[in-house]
Amino acid sequence: VWVQKPLAPAIEWAFDTLLWIRGGHSPNSYTYQVYEDMTLQFIVWMGTCFLCFVVLWLFTRMCRACRGFVVFPNEMKWWGRLVISFDNLTYWVWFWTSFFWIGFNVYLAVYPASFHFNNVGMMSFMLAATFLNYALIIANSMRFSIMESVDANEIAFLSMDNIWRANQLFFMVGPIQGFSVFTGTKNFLSYLLYGQD
């Protein structure tokens, strides 16, 4: 409630602007209440993320004070490294996402679909984010020459090949990881049930 009143004029203006861009109400249009709820949910989500970060920072500071008998990370950089290690250990769990996106695109191409959101706005946001991503990579690769990037920082040398390889990696690794999960599960069950190694 304390957030709702000050933001009500801004939310109402955004709602009226979106309605004007779309040319008025349509069967898929949301009501004003839905936009208000979405905005408040986003604010609560951002506030929760910030609060969790502050709690983690305070916990890390306490761990630093009790460094002699506490085994938790006593610096924020160690939490970042733990997150990276966790991602490296569990990324195979999401091998099915490449299959999902290919299947979802095929489904949308074959069967007609109606969207309950402004697909023009969603597509524009996606294109803008992709353009900014490409612009960062191209600007970074133009800023450093090959020799400067090798001498100063290997990570600074980026090119368009990195973009294509990242996309290829996402779609090519999915089947390989799926096969690895299947084979590993089969070998584990063979060892568990029949003692075959």
Side-chain angles (χ1 to χ4, degrees), residues 77-168:
K77 66 181 179 181
W78 297 114
W79 288 112
R81 292 178 180 179
L82 276 177
V83 170
I84 293 171
S85 298
F86 180 77
D87 178 63
N88 288 336
L89 291 172
T90 59
Y91 71 95
W92 57 269
V93 176
W94 309 106
F95 73 91
W96 56 270
T97 53
S98 58
F99 297 105
F100 168 78
W101 283 116
I102 293 174
F104 185 64
N105 288 329
V106 171
Y107 175 80
L108 291 180
V110 174
Y111 296 100
S114 59
F115 300 97
H116 296 284
F117 59 87
N118 187 356
N119 52 355
V120 175
M122 187 69 75
M123 187 68 180
S124 302
F125 172 76
M126 186 194 72
L127 290 175
T130 304
F131 172 76
L132 290 174
N133 184 26
Y134 284 16
L136 281 172
I137 293 175
I138 293 170
N140 196 27
S141 62
M142 289 174 61
R143 183 176 174 189
F144 297 98
S145 67
I146 296 176
M147 288 304 296
E148 286 174 339
S149 64
V150 170
D151 292 338
N153 186 359
E154 291 278 348
I155 302 173
F157 179 60
L158 298 170
S159 65
M160 291 299 291
D161 289 340
N162 297 94
I163 300 172
W164 303 122
R165 286 174 185 162
N167 290 332
Q168 290 172 357

Side-chain angles (χ1 to χ4, degrees), residues 47-89:
T48 305
C49 290
F50 179 74
L51 182 65
C52 290
F53 181 81
V54 170
V55 169
L56 182 65
W57 182 78
L58 290 174
F59 178 74
T60 307
R61 298 296 290 184
M62 289 190 329
C63 289
R64 178 180 287 182
C66 307
R67 165 181 334 183
F69 50 90
V70 173
V71 295
F72 287 102
N74 54 23
E75 291 184 24
M76 292 298 288
K77 66 181 179 181
W78 297 114
W79 288 112
R81 292 178 180 179
L82 276 177
V83 170
I84 293 171
S85 298
F86 180 77
D87 178 63
N88 288 336
L89 291 172

